[in-house]
């Protein structure tokens, strides 16, 4: 979601009132923290009615897959779920499930925040060895952002290369753009879903108003449909019983609340979800990352110099105002952006803990922590760029081809 989308999404009266009174407002198009500007994730769990992802569940994933948990799981970055235990039960019994995630192609390149659910999805596919479908919502960005269709389609293909560069298995991954793939079984499911949801429900769930274009009212069914295996006969044949697990950022939850509501009426099981926190903007947790403000985020096509300059200039520091103060009181890790970014991307638990200890006690300085972060991000982004140069147009076509993929279910 970008700043433009936030501005274009007119919040309905009750949401505006909530925001004014300092309550947090989270929709797929608008993320506003509470009075202190921060998102209260515990409150969000309650508001949305999702379950918190406990370390018990994380350990169960480790036991079932025989793999150490992804750092996002251990560190509470993936923090909420719906019915995840049912997917794990299913896996344990040797039954099939598939993964579904997506990306709204609103910018030329992805930023680090976009990478979080994508990297996590790649890990899930690898450890569970299951089919995956990835939706590129070029239609959504045309309806919400006023992008011309040709531009939205071009961005979808560019973003697709960044996604493929994250290491998905071509034999088990189908990537589709809505403009290309809607039709056939997909369209029949969209219409069945639309028939189950009233205008009032969509308005209530998504905060649309009478003045929004009519495409927005219908769109939620397009994002809902891939939660059902019937949309992909080339992967699942006519099976209706294959369960779906959706890794996503928590702001996408409203779409899937709606989806879970209609699933039984269409003879499907509800999709399960596994949900991530938001990735903070460089300016801090209450700032918004925006594709239109290049200085709010690190993008996967940034140069080493851009990364260094952005972190040094813009990453909000929780360090003391003076050296003296910092040495005596230490850094406030709660608000420190370099520290938060390290928590997302530094794999080495022991090194991360040492930095937290030293920085929090004022023995390490902001400049030193930023230097660690710059080295880490330069490496990650550099490797991503290297991988992306290997993604040819033919490879994109291979991932996006509607082809028989029944063997993707074997494991
Ligand atoms: N609406 C999402 C976005 O703007 C894209 C999306 C489509 C998606 N289907 C999804 C995200 C499923 C997560 C899971 O980025």
């Amino acid at each position: 979601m970008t700043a433009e989308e936030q501005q274009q999404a007119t919040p309905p009266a009750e949401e505006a009132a909530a925001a004014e009174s300092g309550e947090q407002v989270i929709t797929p198009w608008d993320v506003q923290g509470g009075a202190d500007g921060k998102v209260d994730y515990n409150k969000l769990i309650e508001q949305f009615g999702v379950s918190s992802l406990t370390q018990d569940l994380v350990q169960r994933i480790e036991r079932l897959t025989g793999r150490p948990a992804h750092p996002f799981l251990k560190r509470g970055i993936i923090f909420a779920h719906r019915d995840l235990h049912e997917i794990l039960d299913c896996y344990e019994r040797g039954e099939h499930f598939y993964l579904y995630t997506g990306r709204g192609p609103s910018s030329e390149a992805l930023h680090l925040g976009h990478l979080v659910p994508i990297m996590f999805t790649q890990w899930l596919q690898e450890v569970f060895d299951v089919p995956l479908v990835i939706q590129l919502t070029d239609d959504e960005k045309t309806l919400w952002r006023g992008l011309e269709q040709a531009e939205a389609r071009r961005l979808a293909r560019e973003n697709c290369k960044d996604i493929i560069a994250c290491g998905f298995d071509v034999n088990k991954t189908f990537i589709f753009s809505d403009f290309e793939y809607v039709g056939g079984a997909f369209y029949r499911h969209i219409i069945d879903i639309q028939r189950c949801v009233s205008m009032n429900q969509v308005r209530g769930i998504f905060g649309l108003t009478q003045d929004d274009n009519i495409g927005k009212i219908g769109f939620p069914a397009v994002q809902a449909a891939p939660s059902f295996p019937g949309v992909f006969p080339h992967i699942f044949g006519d099976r209706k019983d294959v369960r779906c697990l959706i890794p996503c950022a928590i702001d996408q939850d409203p779409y899937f609340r709606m989806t879970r509501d209609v699933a039984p009426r269409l003879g499907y099981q509800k999709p399960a979800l596994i949900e991530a926190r938001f990735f903070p903007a460089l300016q801090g947790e209450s700032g918004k990352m925006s594709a239109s403000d290049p200085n709010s985020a690190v993008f996967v096509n940034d140069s080493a110099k851009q990364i260094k300059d952005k972190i040094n200039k813009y990453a909000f520091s929780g360090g003391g105002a003076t050296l003296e103060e910092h040495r005596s009181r230490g850094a406030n890790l709660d608000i420190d952006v370099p520290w938060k970014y390290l928590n997302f991307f530094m794999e080495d638990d022991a090194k991360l803990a040492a930095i937290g200890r030293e920085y929090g006690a004022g023995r390490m300085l902001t400049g030193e922590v930023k230097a660690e972060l710059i080295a880490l991000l330069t490496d990650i982004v550099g490797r991503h760029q290297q991988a992306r140069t290997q993604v040819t147009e033919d490879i994109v076509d291979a991932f996006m081809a509607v082809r028989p993929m029944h063997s993707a279910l074997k494991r």
Side-chain angles (χ1 to χ4, degrees), residues 59-112:
Q59 283 161 15
R60 188 165 174 222
I61 294 174
E62 290 189 322
R63 274 200 310 280
L64 284 175
T65 62
R67 296 273 299 258
H70 192 284
F72 294 166
L73 284 170
K74 284 187 291 197
R75 298 180 193 160
I77 287 163
I78 305 291
F79 76 110
H81 75 96
R82 290 180 186 270
D83 293 346
L84 178 64
H85 49 282
E86 289 182 19
I87 295 290
L88 298 179
D89 291 346
C90 180
Y91 181 79
E92 197 164 30
R93 289 191 301 262
E95 293 165 15
H96 294 126
F97 75 93
Y98 73 101
L99 297 165
Y100 160 40
T101 193
R103 151 89 189 138
S106 57
S107 61
E108 193 75 35
L110 309 196
H111 57 52
L112 295 178

Side-chain angles (χ1 to χ4, degrees), residues 323-399:
L323 183 62
E324 203 178 32
E325 191 192 313
H326 185 75
R327 291 287 188 209
S328 70
R329 275 200 243 145
N332 180 354
L333 299 183
D334 263 359
I335 58 168
D336 190 86
V337 168
W339 167 248
K340 285 185 190 290
Y341 279 25
L342 286 174
N343 267 278
F344 275 85
F345 291 114
M346 181 169 267
E347 280 185 25
D348 186 338
D349 291 327
K351 189 171 177 194
L352 181 71
I355 293 174
R357 207 170 45 237
E358 296 301 298
Y359 189 34
R363 287 187 295 270
M364 216 175 158
L365 302 178
T366 296
E368 297 171 289
V369 176
K370 285 190 170 182
E372 285 286 352
L373 179 64
I374 290 165
L376 179 68
L377 294 184
T378 307
D379 178 56
I380 292 173
V381 169
R383 278 188 288 135
H384 179 89
Q385 289 171 1
Q386 185 54 37
R388 195 186 194 273
T389 60
Q390 309 299 305
V391 183
T392 60
E393 297 299 328
D394 284 350
I395 292 178
V396 175
D397 289 340
F399 274 94

Side-chain angles (χ1 to χ4, degrees), residues 100-104 135 137 140-141 223 246-248 252 256:
Y100 160 40
T101 193
R103 151 89 189 138
Q135 177 177 46
T137 53
E140 177 189 17
K141 297 301 154 186
Q223 182 154 333
I246 304 172
C248 60
Q252 299 297 305
F256 302 115

Side-chain angles (χ1 to χ4, degrees), residues 183-205:
F186 192 4
Y187 191 56
R188 290 195 293 274
H189 280 77
I190 291 170
I191 293 297
D192 273 343
I193 295 163
Q194 287 175 340
R195 191 161 62 164
C196 292
V197 185
S198 72
M199 200 122 102
N200 266 326
Q201 282 172 305
V202 175
R203 208 198 64 91
I205 301 171

